[in-house]
């Protein structure tokens, strides 16, 4: 039914108020309560619940930022640290047991005793070296006669003595080695200190026991100038090689030449005493310099120039020469 004109001018005539259903009032209150909770959540910074726009809003949760402390606690909670753990050990409490002592090996202190002073070494040359060699020879550590020169043979002999007595094997004679050797040996005699040759003389061949004889032993590599079985002088000698051997047997001196030079090898042969063809007893500068590392061309080489010079003056033509093993 169309309303009357008055009604259109003054608005609708209010009708009687009808009561709302109880459910609608509860729903309205519920919407209001949810809105309040959502606003409160946004204000305090907690995570949003089911508020509108929660699905599109990004979640910002810092990985290392600690959560805000609760206002209900009165003591602050320390934030977790992301730094490396400290290497300083914690201070033990009064009730905790003391840590066990370490078993690290102590560093040894250097010895205060200085090393023994060296008295003789390779290259030394003196009467004390001669005595050293004679004493080593007494107890079987030196197989030659004393020379007074500290060479490789003497160093090896000292090293052998040191090793057998538990000493440091240096090959040099220090104070400790010398004192030990003095305690084990006696004072050498004059003959032990200055024997006629570097090597011990061999037992003379029976042909050397009568007359005036140059008694030459290949086994001991020595020459003994003997008169009626008595040794007047002796010296070290070397012989020819296997290709030019020194002849063995009994001969006579048939020619003396003081400043001889070999016509075959063009080499000097001072104080030559010829006894068999071109073979002679004579001084050899090569033997004096190089020892037994070389050989003659068949002659009997002498390395002591003074001794062979004296021998040259004493020997006469016709004197006997015996060369034997």
């Amino acid at each position: 039914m169309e309303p009357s004109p008055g009604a259109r001018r003054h608005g609708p005539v209010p009708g009687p108020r009808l009561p709302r259903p109880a459910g609608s009032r509860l729903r309205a209150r519920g919407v209001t309560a949810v809105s309040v909770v959502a606003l409160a959540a946004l204000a305090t910074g907690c995570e949003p619940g089911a508020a509108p726009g929660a699905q599109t809003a990004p979640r910002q949760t810092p990985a290392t930022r600690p959560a805000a402390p609760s206002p209900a606690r009165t003591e602050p909670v320390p934030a977790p640290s992301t730094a490396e753990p400290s290497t300083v050990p914690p201070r033990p409490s009064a009730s905790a047991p003391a840590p066990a002592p370490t078993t690290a090996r102590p560093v040894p202190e250097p010895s205060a005793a200085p090393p023994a002073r060296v008295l003789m070494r390779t290259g030394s040359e003196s009467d004390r070296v001669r005595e050293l060699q004679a004493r080593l020879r007494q107890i079987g550590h030196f197989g030659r006669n004393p020379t007074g020169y500290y060479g490789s043979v003497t160093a090896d002999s000292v090293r052998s003595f040191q090793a057998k007595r538990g000493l440091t094997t240096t090959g040099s004679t220090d104070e400790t080695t010398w004192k030990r050797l003095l305690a084990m040996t006696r004072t050498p005699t004059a003959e032990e200190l200055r024997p006629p040759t570097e090597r011990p003389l061999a037992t003379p061949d029976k042909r050397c026991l009568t007359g005036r004889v140059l008694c030459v032993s290949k086994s001991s590599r020595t020459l003994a100038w003997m008169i009626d079985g008595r040794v007047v002088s002796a010296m070290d000698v070397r012989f020819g090689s296997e290709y030019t051997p020194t002849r063995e047997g009994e001969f006579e001196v048939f020619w003396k030449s003081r400043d001889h030079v070999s016509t075959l090898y063009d080499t000097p042969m001072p104080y030559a005493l010829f006894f068999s063809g071109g073979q002679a007893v004579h001084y050899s500068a090569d033997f004096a310099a190089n020892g037994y590392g070389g050989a003659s061309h068949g002659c009997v080489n002498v390395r002591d120039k003074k001794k062979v010079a004296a021998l040259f003056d004493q020997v006469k033509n016709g004197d006997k020469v015996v060369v034997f093993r």
Side-chain angles (χ1 to χ4, degrees):
M1 173 175 175
E2 185 176 352
S4 63
R8 288 194 297 270
R9 183 171 55 247
H10 300 285
V13 179
R17 180 174 301 206
L18 297 177
R20 286 185 180 180
S24 62
R25 289 197 299 271
L26 290 176
R27 283 195 296 271
R29 291 175 182 173
V31 171
T32 304
V34 169
S35 301
V36 173
V37 172
L39 291 174
L42 292 173
T44 57
C46 295
E47 290 188 7
Q55 289 81 2
T56 59
R59 296 179 60 183
Q60 298 180 358
T61 307
T64 59
R65 186 172 183 177
S70 173
R73 298 178 63 92
T74 58
E75 295 181 4
V77 178
S81 174
T82 59
E84 292 293 331
S86 174
T87 58
V88 179
R91 181 179 297 177
S93 63
S95 59
T102 59
T103 57
R105 182 176 299 175
V107 178
E109 297 182 359
S111 176
R117 184 168 61 96
V118 175
L119 303 177
M120 294 166 277
R121 55 166 56 91
T122 301
S124 301
E125 188 171 8
S126 64
D127 286 341
R128 178 180 274 187
V129 174
R130 188 180 294 275
E131 181 182 354
L132 167 72
Q133 294 167 336
R135 288 179 180 273
L136 289 171
R137 181 173 171 78
Q138 289 177 11
I139 55 177
H141 284 280
F142 191 73
R144 301 183 180 183
N145 288 334
T147 62
Y149 178 75
Y150 205 120
S152 60
V153 175
T154 304
D156 289 342
S157 300
V158 171
R159 194 175 290 110
S160 171
F161 173 80
Q162 290 170 332
K164 190 171 183 179
R165 271 72 193 179
L167 304 175
T168 305
T169 55
T170 62
S172 298
T173 304
D174 54 26
E175 290 178 331
T176 303
T177 302
W178 181 243
K179 289 178 181 179
R180 182 70 66 86
L181 182 62
L182 291 179
M184 297 180 62
T185 56
R186 55 175 174 76
T187 302
T189 64
E191 186 176 351
E192 289 175 330
L193 289 172
R194 285 177 169 78
T197 61
E198 179 182 328
R199 298 174 181 275
L201 289 172
T203 302
D205 186 278
K206 62 180 181 179
R207 293 170 292 181
C208 300
L209 299 179
T210 57
R212 298 162 57 91
V213 187
L214 292 172
C215 193
V216 182
S217 169
K218 284 188 172 180
S219 60
S220 66
R221 292 187 285 191
T222 58
L223 180 154
W225 168 231
M226 303 180 67
I227 299 176
D228 295 332
R230 179 178 62 87
V231 176
V232 177
S233 64
M235 55 208 74
D236 300 317
V237 294
R238 73 176 183 182
F239 308 98
S241 67
E242 59 178 329
Y243 303 105
T244 56
T246 303
R247 303 181 188 98
E248 299 177 18
E250 183 175 340
F251 312 94
E252 289 185 357
V253 175
F254 66 89
W255 182 32
K256 296 173 59 175
S257 178
R258 185 180 295 273
D259 298 311
H260 191 78
V261 176
S262 172
T263 56
L264 184 59
Y265 300 104
D266 194 29
T267 56
M269 298 172 56
Y271 309 108
L273 301 169
F274 287 91
F275 62 88
S276 176
Q279 295 187 357
V281 176
H282 67 85
Y283 170 73
S284 169
D286 180 76
F287 182 29
N290 300 315
Y292 290 99
S296 73
H297 293 99
C299 291
V300 178
N301 291 163
V302 181
R303 61 179 171 186
D304 191 321
K305 195 171 186 177
K306 290 183 178 180
K307 285 187 176 181
V308 74
L311 180 68
F312 183 86
D313 292 337
Q314 296 176 34
V315 174
K316 301 176 181 178
N317 287 337
D319 288 342
K320 192 164 46 175
V321 178
V322 176
V323 182
F324 67 99
R325 287 282 176 185

